Amino acid sequence: MKNLYSGIRGTADLSPSETALFLDIVDKSREVIERFAYEEIVLPVLEEKGLFEKSVGENTDIVERQMFKIEGKDIVLRPEGTAQVVRYFLEKSLYKQHDFHKFSYVGPMFRGERPQKGRLRQFYHIGAEAIGSRSFYVDAELISLCSAILENIGVRKFKLRINSLGCFRDKSRLSSFIKQSLQEHKSKLCPDCKRRIRHNPLRVIDCKKEQCRAVVKSLDFKEAHLCKDCQRDFRNLLNFLEETGLKYVYDPYLVRGLDYYTNTVFEIVSESLGSQNAIGAGGRYNNLIKFLGGPDIPAAGFALGIERIMITLKESPPRYSIPVFVAYSADADSNAVYGILSNLRKSGINCDSDYCGKSLKAQMRNAQRRGVRFVVIAGRDELKKNKILLKDMKESRQEEIDIGVLAGKLNSFIKEKKGD
Ligand SMILES: [Zn+2]
Ligand SMILES: [Zn+2]
């Protein structure tokens, strides 16, 4: 019989210390996101399959091979957040309320295909979307939000790669230029790219295979496809990034394979990761809302991958500490002991006790192992007098005190000893 206690391939369990790191990343991201005034929304994991076919694109890897489909239904586990935020925006007709909206989200995303090394079936994104403005200052804001988040989390050594695909017409021009130029090199491309030339030539530019990269680098298409307006916007954006001290690398080969991107696209790569080195990506999607049947409203956004960020970081300190342990002798009245524990918690003190009938000596060892500062020792005779022994583990001192004043005393001790 197959054992029932191994997790699904491509999913990850987080230990308490990994969870501490995960939550730390989320908290520190939210801190910055609030400073930039992006409102958090929680959207469902289930969405209509067609939403992603139409937005991300039918000829992209995500939609062709990687969507997590629910058998027998037109429902998928969402592969990404942008299309979903747009779906929400349109469904609620938010454009009727006011012109400009900023949203953020944190949650799991899914891939259906058999996971390869370094890829997960369930992974977490932190994302932000700004809907309703064409201004390049929005692009700049998103990029600076992205890097402020990473800095606040403590990610060092990351690089911003940036490019402009231009408006829809520029992008089609670029696409047909690439299609044409690639024809004569077709034999040198990988099988996937041979297929991509027809349906989604821009994806060839994204291919990570060495043979395809060599072909791509031999093509020259730097900014040539951009119309005057798009060129000016892109220049302005880069100038502003320089003025605000945001370092970037202009990369004309960065295209991001998703159909909905237009104009600015960017990617954050970590120098401490291997080939899967992107920790986040984003860009403009000025045509997506209209394309999904809504009004002509421009937008831009990005998402960061929490697991990728975690790999680049060292462990996080524990989320909380247990400064107090309630130990008791075998003959003590156990209702009184757990009553003390319960009262301490009501007074806001983090504390724990023994639930396995261990000897007092073993309980003291346990408290020591967990780095507890104060141990409340409840013995039969003391309890009868409504007293306990309070031991300061660090200073190896103990005193007998009334149960009635215990919580107050501990609270002031904990406050006083913080950081010592
Ligand atoms: Zn243009
Ligand atoms: Zn290829």
Side-chain angles (χ1 to χ4, degrees):
M1 193 181 111
K2 194 179 169 213
N3 82 49
L4 297 173
Y5 47 83
S6 41
I8 304 287
R9 197 189 151 110
T11 62
D13 299 321
L14 300 186
S15 68
S17 70
E18 288 166 333
T19 303
L21 181 57
F22 180 98
L23 293 175
D24 208 36
I25 290 171
V26 173
D27 285 352
K28 286 179 173 160
S29 302
R30 283 187 172 135
E31 232 173 77
V32 181
I33 286 168
E34 276 175 32
R35 208 183 307 149
F36 281 70
Y38 285 70
E39 288 182 292
E40 184 161 345
I41 47 176
V42 177
L43 300 179
V45 157
L46 301 176
E47 282 288 346
E48 197 75 47
K49 183 170 72 152
L51 172 67
F52 301 102
E53 287 170 347
K54 197 126 185 144
S55 58
V56 174
E58 276 185 273
N59 294 305
T60 58
D61 285 357
I62 292 181
V63 168
E64 260 184 352
R65 299 203 296 246
Q66 298 172 343
M67 277 215 285
F68 203 118
K69 299 183 185 103
I70 307 278
E71 219 176 308
K73 297 206 161 55
D74 285 332
I75 293 176
V76 295
L77 304 186
R78 62 181 178 190
E80 60 106 54
T82 297
Q84 183 176 44
V85 172
V86 168
R87 191 271 301 151
Y88 162 75
F89 173 82
L90 285 174
E91 187 171 353
K92 300 282 182 288
S93 303
L94 296 181
Y95 48 87
K96 289 179 183 160
Q97 293 174 11
H98 42 96
D99 288 345
F100 190 49
H101 292 80
K102 302 205 289 191
F103 298 114
S104 71
Y105 58 86
V106 176
M109 306 292 159
F110 302 85
R111 295 277 188 270
E113 76 175 344
R114 198 178 166 77
Q116 305 146 356
K117 201 173 168 278
R119 285 195 178 253
L120 289 168
R121 265 195 176 146
Q122 178 178 336
F123 51 94
Y124 285 79
H125 273 176
I126 298 170
E129 314 290 341
I131 305 177
S133 167
R134 229 168 264 279
S135 164
F136 67 84
Y137 289 111
V138 170
D139 306 42
E141 176 175 279
L142 286 161
I143 288 168
S144 94
L145 169 58
C146 206
S147 74
I149 288 175
L150 291 172
E151 269 161 31
N152 202 41
I153 292 171
V155 177
R156 307 272 171 262
K157 289 192 185 164
F158 60 86
K159 229 188 237 163
L160 166 70
R161 294 165 61 214
I162 188 168
N163 188 24
S164 175
L165 300 171
C167 53
F168 190 70
R169 271 160 71 188
D170 301 346
K171 195 180 167 184
S172 323
R173 192 157 36 215
L174 175 64
S175 190
S176 41
F177 168 80
I178 287 169
K179 195 171 185 170
Q180 237 167 43
S181 328
L182 285 175
Q183 284 307 333
E184 55 180 302
H185 303 284
K186 200 170 169 180
S187 60
K188 293 180 229 158
L189 298 173
C190 77
D192 279 341
C193 285
K194 280 189 181 120
R195 210 168 30 85
R196 285 171 183 150
I197 291 189
R198 250 192 60 212
H199 301 292
N200 193 354
L202 285 180
R203 284 290 284 132
V204 179
I205 311 298
D206 256 353
C207 185
K208 301 276 185 282
K209 300 231 168 63
E210 214 38 66
Q211 66 206 92
C212 305
R213 295 192 70 89
V215 172
V216 167
K217 298 272 159 175
S218 72
L219 306 180
D220 184 22
F221 51 82
K222 213 177 159 182
E223 283 184 62
H225 60 286
L226 295 181
C227 71
K228 273 218 171 65
D229 286 349
C230 290
Q231 218 171 81
R232 186 202 56 220
D233 276 355
F234 189 48
R235 283 283 131 223
N236 284 339
L237 171 62
L238 296 185
N239 281 338
F240 183 68
L241 290 180
E242 270 161 47
E243 257 177 53
T244 51
L246 248 158
K247 292 205 175 64
Y248 65 82
V249 179
Y250 165 52
D251 181 354
Y253 301 104
L254 176 73
V255 295
R256 307 289 312 150
L258 282 56
D259 277 7
Y260 57 61
Y261 282 126
T262 54
N263 298 85
T264 314
V265 282
F266 61 93
E267 199 171 73
I268 309 276
V269 294
S270 159
E271 285 158 32
S272 48
L273 294 179
S275 63
Q276 304 279 352
N277 62 355
I279 48 180
R284 239 179 207 286
Y285 47 92
N286 286 347
N287 300 305
L288 178 57
I289 293 170
K290 194 171 151 197
F291 198 61
L292 288 175
D296 189 6
I297 296 175
F302 71 82
L304 292 165
I306 298 186
E307 287 81 359
R308 298 280 178 84
I309 292 173
M310 285 175 77
I311 301 173
T312 70
L313 292 172
K314 296 225 167 50
E315 277 182 26
S316 175
R319 297 276 294 177
Y320 57 89
S321 62
I322 299 291
V324 178
F325 190 88
V326 179
Y328 54 93
S329 60
D331 57 2
D333 171 0
S334 42
N335 270 10
V337 171
Y338 292 109
I340 291 173
L341 192 70
S342 153
N343 275 329
L344 291 180
R345 288 172 176 161
K346 277 185 197 149
S347 320
I349 296 168
N350 295 359
C351 55
D352 205 0
S353 185
D354 172 71
Y355 297 91
C356 304
K358 290 252 165 39
S359 70
L360 187 56
K361 215 168 146 190
Q363 292 177 56
M364 295 305 284
R365 269 203 308 272
N366 182 14
Q368 195 143 34
R369 181 180 56 82
R370 294 169 67 177
V372 167
R373 178 72 193 253
F374 301 101
V375 180
V376 174
I377 303 168
R380 192 179 70 151
D381 298 339
E382 286 88 356
L383 283 179
K384 276 190 180 149
K385 293 183 283 174
N386 249 331
K387 287 182 190 298
I388 51 86
L389 279 177
L390 181 60
K391 183 168 183 179
D392 182 331
M393 298 291 274
K394 195 169 173 199
E395 288 170 11
S396 294
R397 259 205 321 250
Q398 61 184 48
E399 56 176 324
E400 200 179 65
I401 58 172
D402 283 340
I403 291 174
V405 299
L406 177 64
K409 222 166 181 149
L410 276 172
N411 258 326
S412 58
F413 273 159
I414 292 166
K415 227 177 263 161
E416 185 187 312
K417 312 270 176 191
K418 218 165 212 171
D420 114 14

